[in-house]
Amino acid sequence: QVQLVESGGGLVQAGGSLRLSCVASVILVRDNDMGWYRQAVGKQRELVATITSSGITAYADSVKGRFTISRDNAKNTVYLQMNSLKPEDAGVYYCAADRVIVVGKNPRDWGQGTQVTVSI
């Protein structure tokens, strides 16, 4: 059974940074599109960043220039480096995997989520 285990969430002041990690088992991150989604209270889950199997990255407009998605194939891990955090970045962040990740289609595999809280 595929497992995606996120870590790295927490409480940070606005302007601060966090790095989220997602360790995958059973699947290989290098063979799949990997994505980070977030869901704030009362809002729909949104796709924040993706990295394709070929290493192409893409970001939601709201995080461009502040967030960076990357992967370490040797550790079978995907990261989300989040800088210059804003209160509106708060929410539960989920790691996801599928052969292809596109907006509007739920990925095949999901992690359990990690909470990010940004204080003013």
Side-chain angles (χ1 to χ4, degrees):
Q1 185 175 352
V2 174
Q3 279 196 317
L4 300 173
V5 180
E6 303 100 331
S7 62
L11 173 64
V12 64
Q13 282 191 325
S17 298
L18 282 175
R19 188 176 80 154
L20 306 183
S21 299
C22 170
V23 180
S25 60
V26 179
I27 62 168
L28 296 177
V29 297
R30 66 169 187 251
D31 291 341
N32 288 269
D33 282 8
M34 302 296 297
W36 285 98
Y37 290 73
R38 71 182 177 196
Q39 187 166 23
V41 175
K43 294 189 175 181
Q44 286 191 328
R45 187 156 49 191
E46 62 172 333
L47 181 57
V48 173
T50 57
I51 182 166
T52 69
S53 55
S54 54
I56 298 171
T57 59
Y59 301 91
D61 287 343
S62 58
V63 307
K64 276 180 185 175
R66 300 187 298 120
F67 289 13
T68 303
I69 188 170
S70 62
R71 69 180 184 220
D72 184 331
N73 294 337
K75 295 182 178 180
N76 210 29
T77 299
V78 176
Y79 303 98
L80 185 68
Q81 177 67 43
M82 306 187 294
N83 298 328
S84 303
L85 281 161
K86 305 175 181 180
E88 53 263 42
D89 293 320
V92 179
Y93 281 70
Y94 299 89
C95 177
D98 206 334
R99 290 296 295 170
V100 178
I101 290 180
V102 295
V103 174
K105 173 181 171 290
N106 277 336
R108 177 193 66 221
D109 305 309
W110 291 93
Q112 82 288 352
T114 186
Q115 177 73 48
V116 171
T117 304
V118 184
S119 66
I120 298 173

